[in-house]
Amino acid sequence: MVSVVPRKPFRRSFLRERTCIFLLQRPPLFLFLFVFCTLLVRFTHVLNFHATWKEASEIQVRLDLPFAPFTSTETVHIPGTSTLGFSRIYVLNLVTRTDRRAYMETLVRSLNLDVHIVPALTPASSELLPYRHLLHERGWLNVGGYLREPELACWGSHMKIWSDVVASNLSSALVMEDDVDIEWEIEEIWAQLQKGLESTTGLDGWDIVYLGHCFNKAGPVLYRSMYTTRNGGQVVHSIREARESFCTHAYAVSHRGAMKLLRLLRDTDRSVDWALNRRRRKAHLRLLSVHTPLIIQLRKSADNPSDVHPGDMRSEERPEEELIESTASHFKL
């Protein structure tokens, strides 16, 4: 009878040990492999970035967009369970305002919102170079408005978001700036209002819905609902025609609306909120607003200066806006 000697199982750790000993005994070879692998990883990263940028540029040309859509390297995704019924939620943030970004990350996480933080353009952004001819001060007898560098950067930031909405084929999007406070029960309230909006205007019968606004001359009521809060109180919310709404700190835009805005505001002569109101009257833009607002802008102060108008405290002149229950106050942000 032949006895069979069992083979010892192959140990991968043994191979790793022998490989390490082999390389450590040959420092030049070890250094060469280390540098080669490092450069290979860097080169692959550059190729991926170039491919993403090239794809975004091709989409921009194909769809005739004024700005290229955001690349994956430009956006910061904050995962959550809710987009409030929109295809995507954008938060516009200057990369230098890390304080506001940290605040907004905490705010949206408190509400478990799924959000994409995107970089706002600055007056020095190269993407604005083709549009610097739009800059001008007030015209004769102050007629014609003005568009200075900060307003141009703000206009470009919103135009870039609308370009991304069209390029990504989103049915709708919520756009927020990074200095807002949000209604604590916004998900439940907006779900109720959204049903009324769809029954009144259809799925795509609107261009912009302001969830937050200032100096708004509200028009006729399209839909009104009674909401019972978690504390048992009852609050009336309504959707109205927006006759003259200013500020762009919180609004929803439909796909149809984004396409209209890219065409109508491509050659603007005023800040983006003024231009929206002018085009509403001339180009049949359907602008709606929520009353009372579900999102409000934080008051400007020395600790929270305006990015568009540094040193300007005109927000103190606005009528006082209050939420039913502030998320920032709820979590002491």
Side-chain angles (χ1 to χ4, degrees):
M1 183 175 180
V2 180
S3 60
V4 179
V5 179
R7 295 180 59 186
K8 292 183 179 180
F10 178 75
R11 292 189 301 118
R12 292 184 180 179
S13 59
F14 173 77
L15 181 60
R16 285 197 296 267
E17 291 170 4
R18 298 299 300 174
T19 304
C20 290
I21 293 172
F22 176 80
L23 291 174
L24 290 175
Q25 289 175 345
R26 295 163 177 80
L29 178 61
F30 175 77
L31 181 62
F32 170 77
L33 290 175
F34 176 78
V35 173
F36 175 78
C37 292
T38 302
L39 291 176
L40 182 63
V41 170
R42 292 291 182 92
F43 183 66
T44 304
H45 176 74
V46 170
L47 284 180
N48 289 337
F49 175 80
H50 177 72
T52 305
W53 175 84
K54 184 178 179 182
E55 181 182 359
S57 300
E58 289 174 350
I59 292 173
Q60 178 186 4
V61 172
R62 186 171 70 250
L63 296 177
D64 189 28
L65 300 176
F67 290 89
F70 296 105
T71 64
S72 57
T73 57
E74 290 179 302
T75 62
V76 176
H77 181 215
I78 308 297
T81 59
S82 174
T83 59
L84 301 177
F86 301 105
S87 301
R88 186 173 297 167
I89 299 177
Y90 294 92
V91 170
L92 201 54
N93 167 250
L94 274 175
V95 293
T96 55
R97 293 303 301 267
T98 54
D99 55 332
R100 286 189 177 180
R101 173 173 162 178
Y103 163 78
M104 287 301 296
E105 286 187 13
T106 306
L107 188 73
V108 299
R109 283 196 171 104
S110 302
L111 294 167
N112 214 5
L113 297 180
D114 190 280
V115 164
H116 288 77
I117 299 178
V118 295
L121 300 181
T122 69
S125 297
S126 59
E127 289 184 85
L128 291 174
L129 289 176
Y131 303 101
R132 291 190 65 83
H133 66 279
L134 298 174
L135 293 170
H136 68 95
E137 295 293 334
R138 290 189 182 276
W140 184 64
L141 294 179
N142 282 345
V143 175
Y146 61 90
L147 190 70
R148 294 173 294 194
E149 287 190 339
E151 286 92 2
L152 181 68
C154 182
W155 164 84
S157 299
H158 287 275
M159 289 284 282
K160 190 171 177 68
I161 286 180
W162 302 334
S163 297
D164 195 72
V165 169
V166 173
S168 303
N169 198 28
L170 305 180
S171 60
S172 63
L174 174 63
V175 182
M176 294 188 292
E177 294 176 352
D178 60 2
D179 57 343
V180 299
D181 189 7
I182 305 175
E183 178 62 53
W184 170 236
E185 298 184 38
I186 187 172
E187 186 170 4
E188 295 83 357
I189 297 173
W190 176 247
Q192 193 169 317
L193 289 172
Q194 193 174 31
K195 291 179 182 177
L197 178 65
E198 292 176 0
S199 64
T200 305
T201 65
L203 291 174
D204 195 24
W206 52 274
D207 297 313
I208 278 184
V209 179
Y210 291 98
L211 277 70
H213 41 79
C214 55
F215 302 111
N216 183 23
K217 294 181 180 178
V221 176
L222 300 181
Y223 177 77
R224 182 182 283 113
S225 69
M226 179 76 72
Y227 177 75
T228 303
T229 66
R230 298 172 190 175
N231 297 327
Q234 289 190 324
V235 183
V236 176
H237 284 278
S238 62
I239 295 179
R240 298 169 175 255
E241 296 279 357
R243 291 291 174 83
E244 199 168 84
S245 182
F246 293 94
C247 303
T248 52
H249 56 273
Y251 64 89
V253 60
S254 66
H255 187 274
R256 183 189 75 173
M259 293 185 69
K260 279 187 181 181
L261 295 171
L262 289 174
R263 175 172 51 86
L264 296 172
L265 270 66
R266 185 170 295 214
D267 295 315
T268 187
D269 62 346
R270 294 172 183 258
S271 60
V272 63
D273 52 350
W274 278 87
L276 277 169
N277 280 296
R278 292 186 68 194
R279 300 304 192 277
R280 177 191 66 81
R281 294 188 291 267
K282 295 181 179 180
H284 306 292
L285 277 173
R286 189 81 187 277
L287 307 184
L288 310 176
S289 54
V290 175
H291 300 260
T292 55
L294 300 179
I295 303 173
I296 64 173
Q297 194 168 32
L298 300 177
R299 311 289 284 184
K300 297 296 180 289
S301 65
D303 296 328
N304 181 41
S306 169
D307 291 329
V308 179
H309 300 106
D312 189 351
M313 304 300 173
R314 284 181 298 173
S315 65
E316 297 301 325
E317 302 172 4
R318 299 178 190 170
E320 190 68 31
E321 294 177 328
E322 292 185 1
L323 301 172
I324 300 170
E325 187 173 0
S326 157
T327 301
S329 298
H330 191 86
F331 287 94
K332 297 180 174 58
L333 301 181

